[in-house]
Each structure stands twice: as C-alpha cells, then as structure tokens.
Amino acid sequence: MPDLFDYVGNAEQFPVLGHWDFFNHAGVCPVPHVASRAIRRYAHEAEAGAYLAGTWYADIEKLRITAARMLNAHRDEIAFVKNTSEGISIVANGIDWQWGDRIVTTSVEYPANVYPWMEVARAHGAKLVMVDEVTDATGRRQVPAEKILEEAADPRTRLVSLSHVEYASGQRHDLERIGKFCHAHKKLFCVDAIQALGVWPIDVKAMHIDYLSADGHKWLLGPEGAGLFYCRRELIDRTRPLMIGWMNVTDAQNYGNYDYSLKPDAGRFECGTLNIPGLLGLKASLDMLMECGLDNVGRRIQQLTEFLIQGLLKKGYKIVSPRGLGQWSGIVSFTSPTHPHEQIFKTLRKDHKTEIAIREGRLRVSPHFYNTEQQIERLIDRLPGH
Ligand SMILES: Cc1ncc(COP(=O)(O)O)c(C=O)c1O
C-alpha cells in the first residue's frame, strides 16, 4: 500500500508539480493522476458501450461507503450533490421554517453559506444573524466561539450554520464545542465542510453535526461539480428534498409504477442521474487520501503551513490566520505592510508560475500534502521582502 511520502513531490502522481508551484487548494485543486485516470477510463468505457462494460454504479456505492467512513457516518446518511451550495440549499429549503426563526452564521462566510439563508429570511420571515469577525492584538482574525454560542442560545434560534474553516481567514471553528452546545439546546447544526474535508477526519457524531455539505474540488482532490451531503439519520424524513425526479423514490427502477414513496435514506435527496465521471474521479482521489491516512495528511499540511508561516514572518509579512491550539487549517492568510497584494499575486503567477490567491484583500496560500518544502522555500524567495 502506498505511503503518503510516495506522493510528496511526485510529478507522476501529481502532474501539476511539473508545471506550477501550486498553492491554491482552497480555490480549485489540480486533480491527481489517479483521478484523471479514473475519468479517462470512464470516457473510454462510455464510448465503447455506455454502462455495459464498466462498474460505475457499484463503484459509486463504494464511494458512498468510504465517504461515510471518513465522516463516521452510515452510508444511508450520505447523498451525492453537485456542489456545496446544493447541500446547504437542501437544508434551507427542506425545513418547516416558522416566522421569526433565527439562523446564526458568521459575517465572513463564503456566499454558498449565506444566500440560501437570505432566501429563507425572504421567503419565510426568518432572521439571519451574522456574527462578526474580530482582530486580536496580534492581528489574527477570528469569529469568537462565545459570540456564536451567545446567538445560538437565543430561544428563537433554530439553526446554526458554519464553515468548518473560513475561506478567507482560514479560521477553524471548534465544531465539537459548538455542536455539543447546539445538541444540548436543540438547535440544528449545519456545516459547510469544503475547506476541511480531506485535511483531517471529521466526526459528525462527536461534533453533533446534523447536516454537512462539501464539493470535492478542494482538499478532497476531486474534479469540480461532484460533492457529498450528510444528513443525520433522525432528520432524513423531516427534511424535504430540494428537487424531485425519478430517483428520490424507493422503487425508482420500476419506471411505470408511479409510487411516490421517498427513500428512507439520504438517497431521497438525489433526484436523478448522478455526475458519474465526476464521482468516479472523486472516488479515486478519496481512496488515495484514505490510503495515506487522513491523520497523516493533516499532520503534513500542518507542518507545511507552519514552515510557510515561519518563512513569511522572517520576511516581514503579517499572519492573519489564527494558529492557536487546534486552530490551524490548510489556509494561511497574510498581508504585506507595504507591497500591493495584487502586484505580488500577478508577478508570482506570470513570472514564476507560482499560484496563490487573494481573498478579502489579503494574500492566501493553501498547500496540500504533496507539495514540498522546496516549493515553499521558492515561494518565500519570490515574495518581496520588507
Ligand atoms: C467555504 C466555501 N463553501 C463553498 C464553496 C464553493 O461552493 P460550491 O461547492 O457550491 O461551488 C467555497 C469555494 O470557494 C468555499 O470556500
């Protein structure tokens, strides 16, 4: 069985290594060779005889089981979605909202975890409460858990929805603490996990997560447009599917028999034909990550981001991402006290084939486990000093 270090710096397994110093996994990941091979195989099988030769559907059911294992969930609690937004929209549209219900989130969420709740506010008279980020004395930015819990405690709060990791600051919320509170106070807890899945294992049970959604195109190393949605078993029949088609029902393959009985498992949230090539690509990547061990992957990302931060500090950059105990993530957000960020970003991309990102006016670097220390050193060398 391959070891994590078989992949580090391995341009056969990660062809992007031969072209770019790529550090934007919090944006869109380059897919590893295993995923592109799975998608090519699909394409060959599809042109030779559609589903006849392949094992597509059986493989996708294997993916459901692996995804459940990664989350400490059951396969019955996993649905495939086309992206994070769809999973969050299932929750937003699937609950029997009452006028005056409160929904608590932060004011620094990616819009996939904002607009669905704005729509609930518009359509059902719910109130959207957005807890602000604060900057501490050292310049680190985060939304305090205490404030989130304070808002969650309001008797009218029905649901708390958070990104596990905030896309711009890289803050990792303490989901165990927040989930425990939500569970104790009978609030629903929904998580946008796209910036966390593939970086460390997530335990939906220990974190008392009711709903979770994530596309696969970031840290899970899948292609865009193939994602996972988790719904806690007890909530499945209390959550209306967002879209209805032929596949939501128990006897889906009995086409002429119009028995509109929704599936008892999370399959009820899948309305029709799935994104087969996308999911096969995601499966290949997830299998690779699971073989390496998500704990090992996380440790390596922690080491790489720590190495990066030390280099940035030496060069006079200010780190914005919180990095206290249990707070690290794959995202390092930082600022230059003097140099325009746009210029830094463009020069890196154009002159050095080095890809980072700008989010909320700050520079953002997000390496994955296969990146090398040498790549990080090169990035630091290429950044202007102070
Ligand atoms: C926190 C977060 N949620 C969601 C998304 C993407 O949403 P979707 O999968 O619906 O395209 C991103 C992408 O940048 C993100 O950072």
Side-chain angles (χ1 to χ4, degrees), residues 61-98:
E61 287 317 306
K62 285 186 193 155
L63 170 63
R64 202 186 294 275
I65 290 166
T66 310
R69 190 152 55 84
M70 168 176 65
L71 294 168
N72 189 24
H74 190 274
R75 51 97 41 222
D76 288 359
E77 297 172 306
I78 304 293
F80 296 117
V81 284
K82 62 179 179 289
N83 47 44
T84 321
S85 306
E86 183 185 343
I88 296 175
S89 286
I90 290 174
V91 183
N93 287 276
I95 293 176
D96 61 329
W97 298 102
Q98 308 295 315

Short mmCIF file of all heavy atoms in Angstrom, two decimals, residues 61-98:
data_model
loop_
_atom_site.label_atom_id
_atom_site.label_comp_id
_atom_site.label_asym_id
_atom_site.label_seq_id
_atom_site.Cartn_x
_atom_site.Cartn_y
_atom_site.Cartn_z
N GLU A 61 -21.34 3.35 -5.29
CA GLU A 61 -21.83 2.90 -3.97
C GLU A 61 -20.66 2.66 -3.02
O GLU A 61 -20.76 2.92 -1.81
CB GLU A 61 -22.71 1.65 -4.11
CG GLU A 61 -24.08 1.95 -4.70
CD GLU A 61 -24.74 3.23 -4.11
OE1 GLU A 61 -24.87 3.35 -2.88
OE2 GLU A 61 -25.10 4.12 -4.91
N LYS A 62 -19.51 2.24 -3.58
CA LYS A 62 -18.30 2.10 -2.72
C LYS A 62 -17.87 3.47 -2.23
O LYS A 62 -17.43 3.63 -1.08
CB LYS A 62 -17.16 1.45 -3.51
CG LYS A 62 -17.33 -0.03 -3.72
CD LYS A 62 -16.07 -0.60 -4.37
CE LYS A 62 -16.35 -2.01 -4.87
NZ LYS A 62 -15.48 -2.42 -5.96
N LEU A 63 -17.98 4.46 -3.09
CA LEU A 63 -17.62 5.83 -2.68
C LEU A 63 -18.52 6.30 -1.54
O LEU A 63 -18.06 6.93 -0.58
CB LEU A 63 -17.76 6.79 -3.88
CG LEU A 63 -17.65 8.29 -3.56
CD1 LEU A 63 -16.25 8.63 -3.00
CD2 LEU A 63 -17.93 9.13 -4.81
N ARG A 64 -19.78 5.94 -1.61
CA ARG A 64 -20.73 6.34 -0.55
C ARG A 64 -20.26 5.75 0.79
O ARG A 64 -20.28 6.42 1.82
CB ARG A 64 -22.13 5.82 -0.90
CG ARG A 64 -23.25 6.58 -0.22
CD ARG A 64 -24.60 5.94 -0.48
NE ARG A 64 -25.08 5.96 -1.86
CZ ARG A 64 -25.74 6.96 -2.43
NH1 ARG A 64 -26.04 8.03 -1.74
NH2 ARG A 64 -26.15 6.89 -3.68
N ILE A 65 -19.80 4.51 0.74
CA ILE A 65 -19.36 3.85 1.98
C ILE A 65 -18.07 4.50 2.49
O ILE A 65 -17.92 4.78 3.69
CB ILE A 65 -19.18 2.34 1.73
CG1 ILE A 65 -20.57 1.70 1.54
CG2 ILE A 65 -18.43 1.66 2.88
CD1 ILE A 65 -20.56 0.30 0.98
N THR A 66 -17.15 4.80 1.58
CA THR A 66 -15.89 5.44 2.01
C THR A 66 -16.17 6.83 2.57
O THR A 66 -15.58 7.23 3.59
CB THR A 66 -14.91 5.56 0.81
OG1 THR A 66 -14.83 4.29 0.18
CG2 THR A 66 -13.54 6.00 1.26
N ALA A 67 -17.05 7.56 1.91
CA ALA A 67 -17.39 8.91 2.40
C ALA A 67 -17.99 8.83 3.80
O ALA A 67 -17.66 9.63 4.69
CB ALA A 67 -18.35 9.59 1.44
N ALA A 68 -18.85 7.84 4.00
CA ALA A 68 -19.47 7.66 5.32
C ALA A 68 -18.39 7.34 6.36
O ALA A 68 -18.39 7.89 7.47
CB ALA A 68 -20.51 6.55 5.27
N ARG A 69 -17.45 6.50 5.97
CA ARG A 69 -16.37 6.12 6.91
C ARG A 69 -15.54 7.35 7.28
O ARG A 69 -15.20 7.56 8.44
CB ARG A 69 -15.50 5.05 6.24
CG ARG A 69 -14.50 4.38 7.15
CD ARG A 69 -14.18 2.96 6.69
NE ARG A 69 -13.73 2.88 5.32
CZ ARG A 69 -12.47 3.07 4.92
NH1 ARG A 69 -11.52 3.32 5.79
NH2 ARG A 69 -12.13 2.97 3.66
N MET A 70 -15.27 8.18 6.29
CA MET A 70 -14.48 9.39 6.55
C MET A 70 -15.18 10.30 7.56
O MET A 70 -14.53 11.01 8.33
CB MET A 70 -14.28 10.14 5.22
CG MET A 70 -13.74 11.54 5.37
SD MET A 70 -13.41 12.30 3.77
CE MET A 70 -15.06 12.43 3.07
N LEU A 71 -16.51 10.27 7.56
CA LEU A 71 -17.27 11.20 8.42
C LEU A 71 -17.76 10.54 9.71
O LEU A 71 -18.47 11.17 10.50
CB LEU A 71 -18.49 11.72 7.65
CG LEU A 71 -18.19 12.62 6.44
CD1 LEU A 71 -19.46 12.82 5.62
CD2 LEU A 71 -17.65 13.95 6.90
N ASN A 72 -17.45 9.28 9.90
CA ASN A 72 -18.03 8.49 10.98
C ASN A 72 -19.56 8.50 10.91
O ASN A 72 -20.26 8.70 11.90
CB ASN A 72 -17.56 8.98 12.37
CG ASN A 72 -17.99 8.02 13.47
OD1 ASN A 72 -18.21 6.82 13.22
ND2 ASN A 72 -18.13 8.53 14.69
N ALA A 73 -20.04 8.33 9.69
CA ALA A 73 -21.49 8.29 9.46
C ALA A 73 -21.84 6.91 8.88
O ALA A 73 -20.98 6.04 8.78
CB ALA A 73 -21.86 9.38 8.46
N HIS A 74 -23.10 6.73 8.52
CA HIS A 74 -23.54 5.49 7.87
C HIS A 74 -23.81 5.80 6.40
O HIS A 74 -24.20 6.93 6.08
CB HIS A 74 -24.82 5.00 8.57
CG HIS A 74 -25.22 3.63 8.13
ND1 HIS A 74 -25.99 3.41 7.01
CD2 HIS A 74 -24.94 2.41 8.65
CE1 HIS A 74 -26.17 2.10 6.85
NE2 HIS A 74 -25.54 1.47 7.84
N ARG A 75 -23.63 4.84 5.54
CA ARG A 75 -23.86 5.09 4.10
C ARG A 75 -25.28 5.61 3.83
O ARG A 75 -25.51 6.38 2.91
CB ARG A 75 -23.52 3.88 3.21
CG ARG A 75 -24.12 2.57 3.57
CD ARG A 75 -25.39 2.12 2.84
NE ARG A 75 -25.47 2.38 1.43
CZ ARG A 75 -26.57 2.82 0.84
NH1 ARG A 75 -27.69 3.07 1.54
NH2 ARG A 75 -26.61 3.01 -0.46
N ASP A 76 -26.22 5.22 4.69
CA ASP A 76 -27.60 5.69 4.49
C ASP A 76 -27.75 7.19 4.74
O ASP A 76 -28.79 7.77 4.46
CB ASP A 76 -28.55 4.99 5.49
CG ASP A 76 -28.75 3.54 5.14
OD1 ASP A 76 -28.18 3.08 4.13
OD2 ASP A 76 -29.48 2.86 5.89
N GLU A 77 -26.72 7.79 5.34
CA GLU A 77 -26.80 9.22 5.67
C GLU A 77 -26.08 10.09 4.63
O GLU A 77 -25.95 11.30 4.83
CB GLU A 77 -26.17 9.46 7.06
CG GLU A 77 -26.92 8.73 8.18
CD GLU A 77 -26.21 8.81 9.53
OE1 GLU A 77 -25.02 8.42 9.58
OE2 GLU A 77 -26.83 9.23 10.52
N ILE A 78 -25.60 9.47 3.55
CA ILE A 78 -24.81 10.20 2.55
C ILE A 78 -25.57 10.29 1.23
O ILE A 78 -26.05 9.28 0.70
CB ILE A 78 -23.46 9.46 2.26
CG1 ILE A 78 -22.67 9.26 3.56
CG2 ILE A 78 -22.65 10.21 1.20
CD1 ILE A 78 -22.16 10.50 4.23
N ALA A 79 -25.64 11.52 0.70
CA ALA A 79 -26.18 11.72 -0.65
C ALA A 79 -25.11 12.40 -1.49
O ALA A 79 -24.26 13.13 -0.95
CB ALA A 79 -27.43 12.59 -0.60
N PHE A 80 -25.17 12.19 -2.79
CA PHE A 80 -24.26 12.90 -3.68
C PHE A 80 -24.96 14.15 -4.19
O PHE A 80 -26.14 14.11 -4.54
CB PHE A 80 -23.83 12.00 -4.84
CG PHE A 80 -23.03 10.81 -4.38
CD1 PHE A 80 -23.49 9.52 -4.57
CD2 PHE A 80 -21.82 11.00 -3.71
CE1 PHE A 80 -22.77 8.43 -4.13
CE2 PHE A 80 -21.08 9.91 -3.26
CZ PHE A 80 -21.56 8.63 -3.47
N VAL A 81 -24.21 15.23 -4.21
CA VAL A 81 -24.76 16.51 -4.68
C VAL A 81 -23.81 17.09 -5.72
O VAL A 81 -22.67 16.63 -5.85
CB VAL A 81 -24.94 17.51 -3.50
CG1 VAL A 81 -26.14 17.16 -2.65
CG2 VAL A 81 -23.68 17.61 -2.64
N LYS A 82 -24.29 18.12 -6.40
CA LYS A 82 -23.41 18.66 -7.45
C LYS A 82 -22.43 19.68 -6.89
O LYS A 82 -21.43 20.00 -7.52
CB LYS A 82 -24.20 19.24 -8.61
CG LYS A 82 -25.11 20.41 -8.28
CD LYS A 82 -25.80 20.88 -9.58
CE LYS A 82 -26.74 22.02 -9.33
NZ LYS A 82 -27.96 21.63 -8.59
N ASN A 83 -22.68 20.18 -5.70
CA ASN A 83 -21.75 21.14 -5.08
C ASN A 83 -22.20 21.43 -3.63
O ASN A 83 -23.26 20.96 -3.20
CB ASN A 83 -21.68 22.44 -5.88
CG ASN A 83 -23.05 22.96 -6.25
OD1 ASN A 83 -23.95 22.97 -5.41
ND2 ASN A 83 -23.23 23.36 -7.49
N THR A 84 -21.41 22.21 -2.95
CA THR A 84 -21.71 22.56 -1.56
C THR A 84 -23.04 23.31 -1.46
O THR A 84 -23.85 23.08 -0.56
CB THR A 84 -20.61 23.50 -1.00
OG1 THR A 84 -19.35 23.08 -1.49
CG2 THR A 84 -20.61 23.54 0.51
N SER A 85 -23.24 24.23 -2.39
CA SER A 85 -24.45 25.06 -2.38
C SER A 85 -25.71 24.19 -2.40
O SER A 85 -26.69 24.50 -1.72
CB SER A 85 -24.48 25.98 -3.60
OG SER A 85 -23.31 26.74 -3.67
N GLU A 86 -25.67 23.12 -3.19
CA GLU A 86 -26.86 22.27 -3.28
C GLU A 86 -27.18 21.65 -1.93
O GLU A 86 -28.34 21.66 -1.48
CB GLU A 86 -26.69 21.18 -4.34
CG GLU A 86 -27.96 20.35 -4.48
CD GLU A 86 -27.83 19.16 -5.44
OE1 GLU A 86 -26.88 19.13 -6.24
OE2 GLU A 86 -28.68 18.26 -5.34
N GLY A 87 -26.16 21.15 -1.25
CA GLY A 87 -26.40 20.53 0.06
C GLY A 87 -26.96 21.53 1.06
O GLY A 87 -27.90 21.23 1.80
N ILE A 88 -26.41 22.74 1.06
CA ILE A 88 -26.91 23.75 2.00
C ILE A 88 -28.33 24.15 1.60
O ILE A 88 -29.20 24.35 2.47
CB ILE A 88 -25.94 24.96 2.06
CG1 ILE A 88 -24.58 24.50 2.61
CG2 ILE A 88 -26.51 26.08 2.94
CD1 ILE A 88 -23.49 25.55 2.60
N SER A 89 -28.58 24.21 0.32
CA SER A 89 -29.93 24.55 -0.14
C SER A 89 -30.94 23.47 0.22
O SER A 89 -32.12 23.77 0.44
CB SER A 89 -29.95 24.78 -1.65
OG SER A 89 -29.35 26.01 -1.94
N ILE A 90 -30.50 22.22 0.26
CA ILE A 90 -31.42 21.15 0.69
C ILE A 90 -31.91 21.47 2.10
O ILE A 90 -33.11 21.41 2.40
CB ILE A 90 -30.73 19.76 0.66
CG1 ILE A 90 -30.46 19.32 -0.77
CG2 ILE A 90 -31.60 18.72 1.39
CD1 ILE A 90 -29.64 18.03 -0.90
N VAL A 91 -30.97 21.87 2.96
CA VAL A 91 -31.34 22.18 4.35
C VAL A 91 -32.24 23.42 4.38
O VAL A 91 -33.31 23.41 5.02
CB VAL A 91 -30.07 22.42 5.20
CG1 VAL A 91 -30.44 22.66 6.66
CG2 VAL A 91 -29.09 21.26 5.07
N ALA A 92 -31.82 24.45 3.66
CA ALA A 92 -32.57 25.72 3.70
C ALA A 92 -34.00 25.54 3.20
O ALA A 92 -34.93 26.17 3.71
CB ALA A 92 -31.83 26.77 2.88
N ASN A 93 -34.16 24.69 2.20
CA ASN A 93 -35.49 24.51 1.62
C ASN A 93 -36.24 23.33 2.22
O ASN A 93 -37.42 23.15 1.95
CB ASN A 93 -35.37 24.29 0.11
CG ASN A 93 -35.01 25.58 -0.60
OD1 ASN A 93 -35.88 26.39 -0.91
ND2 ASN A 93 -33.74 25.79 -0.80
N GLY A 94 -35.56 22.55 3.04
CA GLY A 94 -36.16 21.30 3.48
C GLY A 94 -36.76 21.33 4.87
O GLY A 94 -37.33 20.35 5.33
N ILE A 95 -36.63 22.48 5.56
CA ILE A 95 -37.08 22.57 6.95
C ILE A 95 -38.40 23.35 7.01
O ILE A 95 -38.58 24.30 6.26
CB ILE A 95 -35.98 23.28 7.78
CG1 ILE A 95 -34.74 22.38 7.87
CG2 ILE A 95 -36.47 23.65 9.17
CD1 ILE A 95 -33.57 23.02 8.57
N ASP A 96 -39.25 22.97 7.94
CA ASP A 96 -40.54 23.70 8.07
C ASP A 96 -40.33 24.97 8.90
O ASP A 96 -40.61 25.01 10.09
CB ASP A 96 -41.60 22.79 8.72
CG ASP A 96 -41.18 22.37 10.12
OD1 ASP A 96 -39.95 22.26 10.35
OD2 ASP A 96 -42.05 22.19 11.00
N TRP A 97 -39.80 25.99 8.27
CA TRP A 97 -39.49 27.24 8.98
C TRP A 97 -40.74 27.88 9.54
O TRP A 97 -41.81 27.83 8.94
CB TRP A 97 -38.79 28.22 8.03
CG TRP A 97 -37.49 27.70 7.51
CD1 TRP A 97 -37.27 27.17 6.26
CD2 TRP A 97 -36.25 27.62 8.21
NE1 TRP A 97 -35.96 26.77 6.15
CE2 TRP A 97 -35.31 27.04 7.32
CE3 TRP A 97 -35.83 27.97 9.49
CZ2 TRP A 97 -33.98 26.81 7.68
CZ3 TRP A 97 -34.50 27.75 9.83
CH2 TRP A 97 -33.60 27.18 8.95
N GLN A 98 -40.57 28.50 10.70
CA GLN A 98 -41.66 29.27 11.30
C GLN A 98 -41.25 30.74 11.26
O GLN A 98 -40.07 31.07 11.38
CB GLN A 98 -41.87 28.86 12.77
CG GLN A 98 -42.04 27.37 13.01
CD GLN A 98 -43.31 26.84 12.37
OE1 GLN A 98 -44.37 27.46 12.48
NE2 GLN A 98 -43.21 25.73 11.67
#
